[in-house]
Amino acid sequence: MSTVIEQAVEARLVAAAPRMSTIPATLRYDMRDPFAVRMSFPAPATLEGVDVSWTFARELLSAGVREPAGAGDVRVRPYGFDRTVLEFHAHEGTAILHIRTGELHRFLSSTAAMVPVGDEHLHVDLDGDLAELMRDAY
Protein backbone atom coordinates (compact mmCIF):
# COMPACT_ATOMS: atom_id res chain seq x y z
CA MET A 1 0.00 0.00 0.00
CA SER A 2 1.33 3.41 -0.93
CA THR A 3 1.87 5.92 1.85
CA VAL A 4 1.86 8.95 -0.47
CA ILE A 5 -0.84 10.72 -2.46
CA GLU A 6 0.16 13.13 -5.22
CA GLN A 7 -2.32 15.10 -7.27
CA ALA A 8 -1.52 17.54 -10.05
CA VAL A 9 -3.57 20.75 -10.01
CA GLU A 10 -3.66 23.76 -12.25
CA ALA A 11 -3.42 27.07 -10.43
CA ARG A 12 -4.30 30.45 -11.87
CA LEU A 13 -1.71 32.96 -10.74
CA VAL A 14 -3.24 36.27 -9.67
CA ALA A 15 -0.06 38.08 -8.59
CA ALA A 16 1.90 39.93 -11.28
CA ALA A 17 5.15 37.95 -11.01
CA PRO A 18 6.25 35.52 -12.21
CA ARG A 19 4.67 36.07 -15.61
CA MET A 20 2.60 32.92 -16.08
CA SER A 21 -1.19 33.10 -15.98
CA THR A 22 -1.57 29.43 -15.04
CA ILE A 23 1.00 27.19 -13.47
CA PRO A 24 1.12 23.49 -12.79
CA ALA A 25 1.39 22.52 -9.16
CA THR A 26 1.42 19.29 -7.22
CA LEU A 27 -0.33 18.58 -3.95
CA ARG A 28 1.34 15.86 -1.91
CA TYR A 29 0.31 14.04 1.23
CA ASP A 30 2.49 11.49 3.02
CA MET A 31 0.91 9.47 5.81
CA ARG A 32 4.31 9.43 7.58
CA ASP A 33 3.74 13.19 8.13
CA PRO A 34 -0.03 12.98 8.61
CA PHE A 35 -0.73 16.55 9.67
CA ALA A 36 0.95 18.16 6.65
CA VAL A 37 0.27 18.85 2.99
CA ARG A 38 3.00 19.89 0.58
CA MET A 39 2.34 22.02 -2.50
CA SER A 40 5.15 22.13 -5.06
CA PHE A 41 5.74 24.48 -7.95
CA PRO A 42 8.12 23.91 -10.89
CA ALA A 43 11.14 26.16 -11.47
CA PRO A 44 9.60 28.18 -14.36
CA ALA A 45 6.81 29.33 -12.05
CA THR A 46 9.08 30.81 -9.39
CA LEU A 47 11.00 34.06 -9.13
CA GLU A 48 14.27 32.26 -8.37
CA GLY A 49 13.90 29.75 -11.20
CA VAL A 50 14.11 26.76 -8.84
CA ASP A 51 11.52 24.25 -7.67
CA VAL A 52 9.67 25.56 -4.61
CA SER A 53 7.56 23.66 -2.08
CA TRP A 54 5.37 24.95 0.69
CA THR A 55 4.36 22.72 3.60
CA PHE A 56 1.30 23.55 5.65
CA ALA A 57 -1.39 21.88 7.73
CA ARG A 58 -3.94 19.62 6.06
CA GLU A 59 -6.42 21.16 8.52
CA LEU A 60 -5.65 24.63 7.11
CA LEU A 61 -6.47 23.51 3.57
CA SER A 62 -9.61 21.73 4.72
CA ALA A 63 -10.87 24.74 6.69
CA GLY A 64 -9.90 27.21 3.97
CA VAL A 65 -12.15 25.69 1.30
CA ARG A 66 -15.12 26.53 3.57
CA GLU A 67 -14.08 29.82 5.24
CA PRO A 68 -11.01 32.08 5.48
CA ALA A 69 -8.21 30.31 7.35
CA GLY A 70 -4.61 31.04 8.22
CA ALA A 71 -2.81 34.06 9.58
CA GLY A 72 0.79 33.25 8.71
CA ASP A 73 2.75 32.52 5.56
CA VAL A 74 -0.05 30.42 4.04
CA ARG A 75 -3.64 31.59 3.90
CA VAL A 76 -6.62 29.88 2.29
CA ARG A 77 -10.13 31.14 1.58
CA PRO A 78 -13.09 30.35 -0.66
CA TYR A 79 -13.59 32.52 -3.73
CA GLY A 80 -16.95 32.40 -5.43
CA PHE A 81 -18.76 29.15 -6.10
CA ASP A 82 -15.97 26.96 -7.42
CA ARG A 83 -12.59 28.49 -6.57
CA THR A 84 -10.32 28.59 -3.56
CA VAL A 85 -7.61 31.19 -3.05
CA LEU A 86 -4.24 30.16 -1.65
CA GLU A 87 -1.85 32.93 -0.63
CA PHE A 88 1.84 32.21 -0.08
CA HIS A 89 3.70 35.01 1.73
CA ALA A 90 7.51 35.18 1.66
CA HIS A 91 10.19 37.87 1.95
CA GLU A 92 10.43 37.92 -1.86
CA GLY A 93 6.73 38.66 -2.27
CA THR A 94 3.28 37.13 -2.23
CA ALA A 95 1.84 34.63 -4.68
CA ILE A 96 -1.93 34.48 -4.89
CA LEU A 97 -3.41 31.45 -6.62
CA HIS A 98 -6.90 30.36 -7.57
CA ILE A 99 -7.52 26.61 -7.65
CA ARG A 100 -10.73 24.79 -8.44
CA THR A 101 -12.33 23.85 -5.15
CA GLY A 102 -13.40 20.49 -6.57
CA GLU A 103 -9.74 19.55 -7.11
CA LEU A 104 -8.98 20.39 -3.49
CA HIS A 105 -12.00 18.42 -2.24
CA ARG A 106 -10.89 15.40 -4.29
CA PHE A 107 -7.38 15.63 -2.83
CA LEU A 108 -8.65 16.06 0.73
CA SER A 109 -11.01 13.10 0.32
CA SER A 110 -8.10 10.93 -0.81
CA THR A 111 -6.04 11.97 2.20
CA ALA A 112 -8.95 11.30 4.57
CA ALA A 113 -9.38 7.83 3.09
CA MET A 114 -5.70 7.15 3.82
CA VAL A 115 -5.60 8.80 7.26
CA PRO A 116 -8.99 9.82 8.65
CA VAL A 117 -9.16 13.27 10.20
CA GLY A 118 -8.60 12.86 13.93
CA ASP A 119 -6.50 9.71 13.50
CA GLU A 120 -3.30 11.49 12.47
CA HIS A 121 -1.67 10.81 15.85
CA LEU A 122 -1.86 7.07 15.13
CA HIS A 123 0.57 7.54 12.23
CA VAL A 124 3.22 9.59 14.04
CA ASP A 125 6.34 7.80 15.22
CA LEU A 126 7.08 9.92 18.29
CA ASP A 127 9.78 7.57 19.58
CA GLY A 128 11.57 7.53 16.22
CA ASP A 129 11.29 11.30 15.80
CA LEU A 130 12.59 11.89 19.32
CA ALA A 131 15.47 9.46 18.80
CA GLU A 132 16.43 11.29 15.62
CA LEU A 133 16.41 14.65 17.40
CA MET A 134 18.42 13.31 20.29
CA ARG A 135 20.97 11.64 18.01
CA ASP A 136 22.21 15.06 16.92
CA ALA A 137 22.35 16.32 20.52
CA TYR A 138 25.30 14.13 21.49
Side-chain angles (χ1 to χ4, degrees), residues 9-15 27 39 41 56 60-89 94-105 108:
V9 295
E10 186 174 284
R12 176 166 295 283
L13 187 62
V14 177
L27 287 167
M39 190 165 197
F41 302 94
F56 51 95
L60 173 65
L61 185 60
S62 181
V65 297
R66 294 185 312 275
E67 62 188 12
D73 294 341
V74 180
R75 301 171 193 175
V76 184
R77 69 179 184 278
Y79 182 78
F81 176 70
D82 65 345
R83 302 278 178 188
T84 299
V85 174
L86 281 84
E87 294 181 16
F88 298 96
H89 297 261
T94 300
I96 301 171
L97 307 169
H98 287 189
I99 299 177
R100 289 185 182 96
T101 304
E103 291 185 78
L104 298 176
H105 280 300
L108 289 166

Side-chain angles (χ1 to χ4, degrees), residues 15-94:
R19 293 191 171 104
M20 297 174 75
S21 59
T22 61
I23 57 173
T26 303
L27 287 167
R28 186 174 198 273
Y29 181 78
D30 187 335
M31 72 185 294
R32 294 170 295 187
D33 189 7
F35 293 100
V37 168
R38 176 170 289 194
M39 190 165 197
S40 300
F41 302 94
T46 68
L47 292 173
E48 296 82 19
V50 296
D51 292 346
V52 172
S53 293
W54 287 78
T55 302
F56 51 95
R58 174 172 70 160
E59 184 178 348
L60 173 65
L61 185 60
S62 181
V65 297
R66 294 185 312 275
E67 62 188 12
D73 294 341
V74 180
R75 301 171 193 175
V76 184
R77 69 179 184 278
Y79 182 78
F81 176 70
D82 65 345
R83 302 278 178 188
T84 299
V85 174
L86 281 84
E87 294 181 16
F88 298 96
H89 297 261
H91 294 290
E92 300 81 11
T94 300

